[in-house]
Amino acid sequence: MTKSLPDNRPALLELHAEARRRRDRTPLGGPEYREACEEIAAIEVQIARIERAPMKPIAGQPAPAPKPGA
């Protein structure tokens, strides 16, 4: 996937649905199928990045303790 992805979840979900529809219309295992699968995966990674973005600490509260093994 060469185009850049949006940085907001609603737009990503729209692209995800479009890529799934495209994948579902193509023959299993063909080049278009694989391309759509790769696009879906890239979109899912971008969604995960957004959902796991670090939150800014609330003023007056201590920073969270680091997780074990981190």
Side-chain angles (χ1 to χ4, degrees):
M1 182 168 188
T2 57
K3 66 179 182 176
S4 63
L5 293 171
D7 61 354
N8 66 76
R9 193 171 193 277
L12 289 164
L13 291 177
E14 193 173 311
L15 287 175
H16 191 266
E18 178 185 318
R20 282 193 336 259
R21 284 190 294 272
R22 195 170 60 253
R23 178 198 63 193
D24 294 344
R25 287 191 306 261
T26 62
L28 181 64
E32 295 89 5
Y33 184 90
R34 286 192 301 272
E35 184 178 318
C37 287
E38 289 173 6
E39 184 174 348
I40 290 167
I43 293 167
E44 289 175 352
V45 167
Q46 182 70 357
I47 290 170
R49 283 184 184 130
I50 290 170
E51 290 177 346
R52 292 180 176 227
M55 295 177 56
K56 294 180 182 176
I58 298 171
Q61 290 190 359
K67 295 180 182 177

